[in-house]
Amino acid sequence: EVQLVESGGGLIRPGGSLRLSCVASGFTFSNYWMSWVRQSPGKGLEWVATISQRANEKYYVDHAKGRFTISRDNARNSLYLQMNSLRVEDTAIYYCARTENFGPYLPQPLFDYWGRGSLISVSS
Amino acid sequence: EVVLRQSPGTLSLSPGERATLSCRASQSISSNFVAWFQQKPGQAPRLLISGASNRATGIPDRFGGSGSGTDFTLTISRVEAEDFAVYFCQQYDSIPYTFGQGTKLDFK
């Protein structure tokens, strides 16, 4: 059974930093692209970042470029999202998602399994 | 950016009725890279349909997807009690990958 378990969320002040983790099990982690997707009441579901199997390709939504970094450790079956310069509008539940990539050039990623999410609240 | 608009916002039906949910894109989506997800309160989204019409593993055949270009549809042939939830469409054709705002299927 595919399982994805996120951790690392919490309450953080604007301008602060936080690192989310996601531990995967039930599949061969190193064979899959992985992604982060977030959900907030105001903006709904929003793709944040995607990383290739060997971490040589990384893609971000525009507002995350320069602030967020997606990474992975295949030996630990783990995905990470380092978030810096956090803003109030980054408040959301962050989901880790296993990703099937159909694109031969730029990714065309299908998010086929999702974790239960980790809540990040950015507030002064 | 591809904007996805879902309609209706809320669909009120009784068990056994047919549900038709619409997703319209602001520009054509190549290769029909459209997915549908179901989300229940407090849970993560669950993949139902990929490639506009392919049911995901374990999804009952009462769920069906169709469409191409800019217009896509999720159909539930006979709604069951467990189907009352929020449904999202999503395009995974071009960056940024975007989601619709959701259609809530609730009990009439």
Side-chain angles (χ1 to χ4, degrees):
Chain A
E1 179 193 4
V2 173
Q3 288 202 323
L4 299 164
V5 179
E6 302 92 339
S7 62
L11 176 63
I12 188 82
R13 301 264 191 241
S17 297
L18 209 56
R19 188 200 200 203
L20 294 180
S21 300
C22 169
V23 177
S25 61
F27 65 100
T28 303
F29 182 73
S30 58
N31 286 351
Y32 285 85
W33 290 57
M34 295 294 296
S35 300
W36 290 98
V37 180
R38 70 185 188 183
Q39 186 171 31
S40 62
K43 296 192 72 176
L45 284 162
E46 182 181 38
W47 166 74
V48 176
T50 293
I51 188 169
S52 61
Q53 295 101 320
R54 289 174 292 177
N56 55 316
E57 296 181 60
K58 301 178 183 181
Y59 300 88
Y60 300 90
V61 67
D62 279 351
H63 63 69
K65 292 177 183 176
R67 297 192 303 131
F68 294 2
T69 302
I70 189 171
S71 62
R72 64 191 296 162
D73 183 341
N74 288 342
R76 296 177 184 272
N77 289 344
S78 292
L79 175 73
Y80 306 101
L81 186 67
Q82 176 67 43
M83 297 181 289
N84 300 329
S85 303
L86 281 162
R87 305 167 180 166
V88 170
E89 54 266 34
D90 294 319
T91 295
I93 298 171
Y94 285 73
Y95 295 102
C96 162
R98 194 181 82 166
T99 301
E100 187 79 55
N101 180 29
F102 292 91
Y105 306 109
L106 287 176
Q108 289 167 310
L110 175 67
F111 312 130
D112 61 357
Y113 288 93
W114 301 49
R116 297 180 68 92
S118 182
L119 175 63
I120 291 178
S121 183
V122 185
S123 174
S124 53
Chain B
E1 174 173 326
V2 177
V3 177
L4 299 178
R5 290 197 165 81
Q6 292 187 240
S7 61
T10 301
L11 183 59
S12 298
L13 295 173
S14 298
E17 292 190 295
R18 182 182 185 87
T20 302
L21 288 68
S22 175
C23 176
R24 179 162 289 179
S26 60
Q27 59 195 74
S28 185
I29 298 172
S30 66
S31 302
N32 294 336
F33 281 142
V34 169
W36 288 92
F37 296 89
Q38 177 194 68
Q39 187 176 33
K40 296 180 179 178
Q43 296 185 17
R46 173 193 181 198
L47 177 66
L48 299 175
I49 300 287
S50 64
S53 61
N54 304 306
R55 273 189 305 277
T57 304
I59 301 303
D61 61 9
R62 66 179 180 273
F63 290 91
S66 63
S68 63
T70 60
D71 290 301
F72 298 88
T73 300
L74 175 70
T75 302
I76 309 173
S77 58
R78 291 174 304 281
V79 172
E80 297 192 4
E82 66 192 31
D83 301 335
F84 292 103
V86 180
Y87 293 83
F88 297 94
C89 60
Q90 183 239 333
Q91 66 83 16
Y92 53 105
D93 180 49
S94 61
I95 292 174
Y97 314 109
T98 50
F99 293 82
Q101 83 282 12
T103 289
K104 183 178 183 180
L105 177 60
D106 71 7
F107 188 78
K108 184 161 70 177

